[in-house]
Amino acid sequence: MAETMVKLKEYDSAPDFTLPDAQGVAVGLKDFDDKIVVLYFYPKDNTPGCTIEAVDFSALLAEFSAKNAVVLGVSPDTPKCHQGFIAKQNLRHILLSDTTKEVASAYGAYGKKMMYGKEVMGIIRSTFIIKNRQIIKAMYNVKAKDHAKAVLAML
């Protein structure tokens, strides 16, 4: 499988970003300088794996908050699409819209991947733990099931 152009690793500076949330409000990395940021990229709202991952992160939100962490989910879906996903799955964490895939690309979470045996361009399910705008942990090609629990255990 081909690699993405950028692969972030521990101690790299986290690429700065500002993206709209489900309500269209601009949310940026700078808004959480006093917190640990769990930034996860996922391909698409309302798909099986992405739903499992989002529901799990949302279910553990109180535990993330207790560790001074904020959870931000990012996909290429529009804010309107995120609204429906949040309502349907009763999600409690912030979802951000990266329709241009610029932020995903900056994090190495967009590139060539295998899908049903074919190489395609798309979002690579990835998670980053960020503190003081520095990458503490970078995880690529993560599995959706039980991922939120594993991330929580790393904090």
Side-chain angles (χ1 to χ4, degrees), residues 2-8 105-112 121 124:
E3 291 294 306
T4 54
M5 299 204 325
V6 170
K7 278 266 192 191
L8 296 176
S105 294
Y107 277 83
Y110 178 75
K112 289 180 183 160
M121 291 296 287
I124 297 158

Side-chain angles (χ1 to χ4, degrees), residues 124-142:
I124 297 158
R125 193 180 306 276
S126 310
T127 302
F128 303 89
I129 300 173
I130 302 165
K131 189 172 184 183
N132 300 323
R133 298 195 199 196
Q134 188 176 59
I135 304 287
I136 302 301
K137 186 89 175 138
M139 297 161 272
Y140 292 95
N141 296 305
V142 302

Side-chain angles (χ1 to χ4, degrees), residues 5 11 22-24 28 41 44 46 57 60 65 76 81 84 86 88 91 106 129 131 151:
M5 299 204 325
Y11 309 114
Q23 308 310 317
F41 292 87
K44 189 155 181 48
N46 294 305
F57 271 117
L60 295 170
S65 294
C81 188
I86 289 166
K88 185 176 179 183
L91 301 178
I129 300 173
K131 189 172 184 183
V151 172

Side-chain angles (χ1 to χ4, degrees), residues 9-121:
K9 54 195 180 313
E10 289 176 33
Y11 309 114
D12 282 349
S13 288
D16 201 17
F17 63 85
T18 301
L19 292 170
D21 69 6
Q23 308 310 317
V25 175
V27 174
L29 187 57
K30 67 184 179 313
D31 299 331
F32 304 104
D33 280 350
D34 59 334
K35 296 198 176 296
I36 295 166
V37 176
V38 174
L39 181 69
Y40 78 95
F41 292 87
Y42 66 98
K44 189 155 181 48
D45 289 348
N46 294 305
T47 56
C50 298
T51 299
I52 288 167
E53 189 175 29
V55 167
D56 287 354
F57 271 117
S58 208
L60 295 170
L61 199 59
E63 283 128 286
F64 279 103
S65 294
K67 293 183 182 254
N68 196 36
V70 62
V71 175
L72 305 175
V74 181
S75 82
D77 295 296
T78 63
K80 186 169 176 26
C81 188
H82 282 338
Q83 285 176 15
F85 188 38
I86 289 166
K88 185 176 179 183
Q89 300 300 333
N90 200 21
L91 301 178
R92 301 189 339 250
H93 63 288
I94 299 168
L95 296 183
L96 300 174
S97 183
D98 182 20
T99 55
T100 64
K101 303 174 193 80
E102 266 181 61
V103 177
S105 294
Y107 277 83
Y110 178 75
K112 289 180 183 160
K113 65 179 192 172
M114 295 303 284
M115 196 163 171
Y116 307 114
K118 284 174 49 182
E119 195 173 74
V120 297
M121 291 296 287

